[in-house]
Amino acid sequence: MLDQDPDGNVTLRVSNQSFAVNPVDIAIAIDGEPLVRAELDVAGEQPAQHNWQTFRYRLPEGRHSLVASSTRGRARLETNFEVKDEVVVAIAHWDRAQGRGDGFFTCHVSSGAAGQM
């Protein structure tokens, strides 16, 4: 696993937005390298659905592939993003209405530091 870098140029913000699958297991890999393996609670010590975990890494500029997956949440996301200067990648796990069917991930990428999201 790639070590976190507090001065990194890529910030991953990861959250469980699912009350149906709680906690949910989330694994994230970038360019095939595992970065995050976490059990995320929908609330934690925050109000429900405001529990975002932050991870920082240093990646070279250019295009990168990201895979987010969850076994219990029955979800998988494969996407690409571009690193130029600093970037924030926000990934959230959701469940379908009333817990029916598979879950899914959303991914939003923005430029700038994590505090600017």
Side-chain angles (χ1 to χ4, degrees):
M1 275 179 103
L2 185 64
D3 290 331
Q4 288 195 62
D5 181 344
D7 298 317
N9 59 344
V10 176
T11 301
L12 294 179
R13 302 220 31 196
V14 185
S15 180
N16 177 20
Q17 299 291 307
S18 170
F19 288 99
V21 183
N22 188 44
V24 70
D25 59 308
I26 295 178
I28 299 172
I30 294 180
D31 299 331
E33 180 78 28
L35 298 183
V36 175
R37 286 202 186 282
E39 297 279 327
L40 297 180
D41 188 289
V42 74
E45 296 182 17
Q46 307 294 323
Q49 297 178 308
H50 291 271
N51 186 23
W52 289 85
Q53 301 297 310
T54 301
F55 306 88
R56 287 187 63 106
Y57 300 95
R58 175 140 320 267
L59 296 177
E61 289 193 356
R63 188 174 179 85
H64 296 275
S65 64
L66 180 146
V67 175
S69 61
S70 173
T71 301
R72 281 196 308 280
R74 299 181 307 195
R76 183 175 175 88
L77 169 76
E78 296 183 26
T79 191
N80 296 300
F81 67 97
E82 190 80 22
V83 173
K84 185 174 182 181
D85 297 320
E86 291 192 46
V87 66
V88 177
V89 181
I91 301 167
H93 173 266
W94 302 81
D95 63 275
R96 304 277 180 213
Q98 299 162 339
R100 289 179 267 160
D102 292 341
F104 63 97
F105 286 102
T106 55
C107 180
H108 298 281
V109 179
S110 60
S111 298
Q116 298 174 336
M117 215 174 121

